[in-house]
Amino acid sequence: MSHEKLGINKDVRHWLHTIEQGYRYTAGPIGSKFLEGLRSGKLLAGKCSVCGRLLIPPKAFCQYDFGEVKELVEVAPVGTLRTFTVVYEDSYGNKLPNPVIIGFITFPNTVGGIVHYIINAKPERLRIGMLVRPVFKPEGERRGSLTDIVGFEPA
C-alpha cells in the first residue's frame, strides 16, 4: 500500500472520478424481505421481538435492547418530512438545470427513517413536518431496491 503525506490543508487533494471497486452486498434475511416489500410497492418495518418497536429500515437486531427482529410489519405509506436540503450544483460545481431535493422521512409509530429524493415539489413550498408519500416505479420496473421508490412527493 502506498500513501502520500500531506503537509497542510491547502495540500489536500480530491478525486472526482470513479474508482472501480468490486463488492457484493448481502442484505440478510430481514433486509431482503424489506427489499422484496419495496418490489411489491410496500414499506415494511422490522418489529423488535423484545420491545415491539418498529424499525425502518429494518435491522437484524433492535438498537435499543438488542432484541432479534424476526417479523416485518407494513407501515402506512405516508411519512413526515423531518429535514431536507436543496442541491443546486453537481459535484463538479456546475449549475443543475433543476434543483435536486433530498429529505429525511419518518413514519408514524416507527424508529428511524429513510433518506430519499423529494419530487414533484418546489423548494420554496416545502416545510418541515409536511406529509409526503412514496412514488414507486411501475411494477414491471421494480428490482427490490430502495431505488424502486422514485422519490417522495407531498401528500
Side-chain angles (χ1 to χ4, degrees), residues 29-90:
I30 292 297
S32 294
K33 289 178 183 176
F34 172 71
L35 296 174
E36 289 168 11
L38 291 177
R39 185 172 37 218
S40 300
K42 299 176 186 176
L43 287 174
L44 302 175
K47 185 174 183 179
C48 175
S49 59
V50 175
C51 67
R53 284 184 175 100
L54 298 177
L55 313 170
I56 190 164
K59 297 150 186 65
F61 294 91
C62 178
Q63 65 221 42
Y64 296 96
D65 53 30
F66 306 110
E68 188 173 1
V69 174
K70 298 177 183 176
E71 177 186 358
L72 291 175
V73 176
E74 187 172 358
V75 297
V78 175
T80 303
L81 183 62
R82 294 297 175 189
T83 190
F84 65 93
T85 189
V86 183
V87 181
Y88 293 96
E89 297 177 354
D90 67 15

Side-chain angles (χ1 to χ4, degrees), residues 63-150:
Q63 65 221 42
Y64 296 96
D65 53 30
F66 306 110
E68 188 173 1
V69 174
K70 298 177 183 176
E71 177 186 358
L72 291 175
V73 176
E74 187 172 358
V75 297
V78 175
T80 303
L81 183 62
R82 294 297 175 189
T83 190
F84 65 93
T85 189
V86 183
V87 181
Y88 293 96
E89 297 177 354
D90 67 15
S91 59
Y92 294 98
N94 301 314
K95 184 173 169 71
L96 294 171
N98 296 307
V100 173
I101 307 166
I102 301 168
F104 179 67
I105 299 104
T106 61
F107 300 89
N109 305 314
T110 65
V111 175
I114 294 176
V115 175
H116 216 302
Y117 294 109
I118 306 300
I119 60 171
N120 303 328
K122 295 186 183 293
E124 60 273 10
R125 303 286 310 257
L126 294 177
R127 300 287 178 262
I128 301 301
M130 73 184 297
L131 298 179
V132 293
R133 65 174 165 244
V135 175
F136 286 90
K137 288 180 179 177
E139 195 170 331
E141 295 178 24
R142 297 183 206 146
R143 300 288 176 251
S145 165
L146 197 54
T147 59
D148 288 345
I149 300 174
V150 176

